[in-house]
Amino acid sequence: MMTGLWLLTNTTVILLTARLASDAGLPATQVSVAMGIASFAQAIAMAVAGHLSTFTGRRNLLVTWGISSAVLGPFLWWAAVNSHSLGRAALLAAALQVATVAAYGPIACYLSERFPTEVRSTGYGMGYSLSLIIPALYPFYLPLLEGVFGSHPAIMGLVAVGGILVTVGALMGPKLSSADIEADIDSVAMGATR
């Protein structure tokens, strides 16, 4: 699940920033403004997602967000990098980040709730950090993928894969309903590890 989120982060934040300049032709100041607006929208959506997951259940929310990322993400990414105005780029970058990486909203809680107190920091750290390795190596594999599929389709495919990984990872995890969330965190974690 976290590998999917990191893959989404790299494609919709890092790569999008570069491609708004190179592909959409926006000057650097407009790219900064567009990405600043997108980050603001993402921050609000993350807070809403975190709060909403308390009512819907963490897994339900993450599965829904993963599907949203896999289905909407590639199209929003393509539209953003093919926009040629600041307003359109900002709106599409914001929609893209809300549909994809705003899923980080409940992640801190979800990972913490997965592990009992005695291994919580280790489990959280491993789950959050080790999952970064494969997505972080994109400078090595992205040029190969672009050579085979093309510049835009390669990244759009990575966005879809990120969404699929979030969905599958969330489906493999515990449900953590609103009743579970209200329980003692160690009781929840012990139930989640079974």
Side-chain angles (χ1 to χ4, degrees):
M1 182 181 68
M2 288 305 301
T3 296
L5 280 169
W6 284 119
L7 195 56
L8 290 170
T9 301
N10 289 344
T11 54
T12 65
V13 178
I14 297 170
L15 291 171
L16 180 64
T17 301
R19 298 299 172 91
L20 285 178
S22 65
D23 297 5
L26 298 179
T29 54
Q30 289 186 10
V31 171
S32 296
V33 170
M35 293 307 290
I37 291 168
S39 296
F40 182 74
Q42 173 194 337
I44 291 170
M46 284 174 68
V48 170
H51 187 66
L52 188 59
S53 73
T54 303
F55 301 105
T56 64
R58 311 247 195 259
R59 181 173 70 179
N60 291 341
L61 183 120
L62 290 166
V63 167
T64 302
W65 227 285
I67 292 169
S68 163
S69 298
V71 174
L72 297 175
F75 297 107
L76 289 169
W77 193 92
W78 181 85
V81 298
N82 284 293
S83 63
H84 299 288
S85 70
L86 172 59
R88 189 162 182 235
L91 179 65
L92 289 165
L96 174 62
Q97 289 190 16
V98 166
T100 57
V101 293
Y104 276 103
I107 289 299
C109 294
Y110 188 70
L111 289 178
S112 294
E113 292 161 349
R114 299 289 312 269
F115 303 102
T117 302
E118 57 272 3
V119 295
R120 184 164 298 131
S121 62
T122 302
Y124 183 97
M126 300 265 300
Y128 199 86
S129 301
L130 281 180
S131 58
L132 177 60
I133 294 170
I134 293 171
L137 295 174
Y138 77 87
F140 298 102
Y141 58 78
L142 183 58
L144 299 172
L145 293 174
E146 288 176 325
V148 173
F149 300 107
S151 179
H152 295 311
I155 296 175
M156 292 166 62
L158 289 176
V159 172
V161 167
I164 291 166
L165 289 174
V166 170
T167 303
V168 170
L171 286 170
M172 292 173 63
K175 187 172 182 180
L176 297 180
S177 67
S178 57
D180 293 325
I181 293 166
E182 295 299 323
D184 175 68
I185 193 167
D186 279 325
S187 299
V188 172
M190 293 307 287
T193 58
R194 289 186 190 137

